[in-house]
Amino acid sequence: MFDKIENLEIKTISRGTSKSNHTTKPRKFNSLIIRISGSIRYSLEDSHFVLNAGDIAFLPKGSRLGISTVSELPSEFISINFEADLSDTTPFFYSLEGFPNVEDFSDNLVNLWKFGDYADRYKCYSHFYNILSYMKNLESQRYIGKKKLGI
């Protein structure tokens, strides 16, 4: 995951519904996509990933995705689009299971960005870094677990 992030600038934070079965244009920005409801299948180069409600994906700038819905439920998401100098631009996918109130948090994040003042925008940066910190902790736990198992 990200070992180093410099010159971070959040461009947009929005909530949307995934359209089924399409291929995206190359991404203009790096994105964190938080799945709120439904399930979606992403195809990225030779890899395929299914994201369910409560999962998060990092999609690097310039990537093109194939997207197809997996569930009958509406497939809603929060998208945080950002520019940054990143040490690693490999796509990754995590479960945010255990992250407090993902849906309430996500709605609050969108509203702060959309309707808030400059102070609220700084709160959005704080929330963004909280998400990254949470994912980094998950990654550390996986590494420690593999090390204990000798993998």
Side-chain angles (χ1 to χ4, degrees):
M1 201 180 89
F2 308 130
D3 289 327
K4 186 176 177 184
I5 299 176
E6 292 184 355
N7 304 316
L8 174 70
E9 181 183 355
I10 295 175
K11 295 295 189 177
T12 63
I13 300 176
S14 60
R15 184 174 183 138
T17 303
S18 295
K19 299 172 188 160
S20 62
N21 305 329
H22 71 284
T23 301
T24 65
K25 296 177 184 175
R27 303 195 77 73
K28 289 173 72 173
F29 305 110
N30 298 297
S31 299
L32 285 182
I33 307 293
I34 303 168
R35 182 70 34 209
I36 300 300
S37 65
S39 296
I40 201 93
R41 178 184 175 95
Y42 288 125
S43 300
L44 184 65
E45 296 174 12
D46 295 333
S47 302
H48 304 283
F49 306 92
V50 174
L51 263 69
N52 300 303
D55 291 347
I56 190 168
F58 166 68
L59 305 171
K61 182 178 183 174
S63 60
R64 290 178 61 107
L65 301 177
I67 297 175
S68 56
T69 55
V70 175
S71 67
E72 297 297 319
L73 296 172
S75 192
E76 295 181 295
F77 63 91
I78 300 294
S79 176
I80 305 171
N81 297 303
F82 63 98
E83 285 280 2
D85 297 331
L86 303 173
S87 59
D88 185 6
T89 58
T90 305
F92 59 78
F93 304 86
Y94 284 100
S95 171
L96 287 179
E97 185 178 329
F99 192 81
N101 302 318
V102 172
E103 189 167 351
D104 293 339
F105 165 82
S106 300
D107 282 338
N108 187 34
L109 188 64
V110 171
N111 289 332
L112 282 173
W113 188 261
K114 213 175 206 181
F115 304 113
D117 58 17
Y118 284 103
D120 292 325
R121 295 245 168 145
Y122 286 118
K123 289 178 188 174
C124 291
Y125 277 87
S126 175
H127 290 312
F128 181 84
Y129 281 112
N130 284 339
I131 293 169
L132 294 181
S133 176
Y134 183 81
M135 290 188 304
K136 192 67 174 170
N137 286 337
L138 290 176
E139 186 176 88
S140 296
Q141 289 171 6
R142 286 183 188 169
Y143 175 76
I144 290 169
K146 287 180 180 179
K147 197 167 183 176
K148 283 182 183 176
L149 294 173
I151 298 174

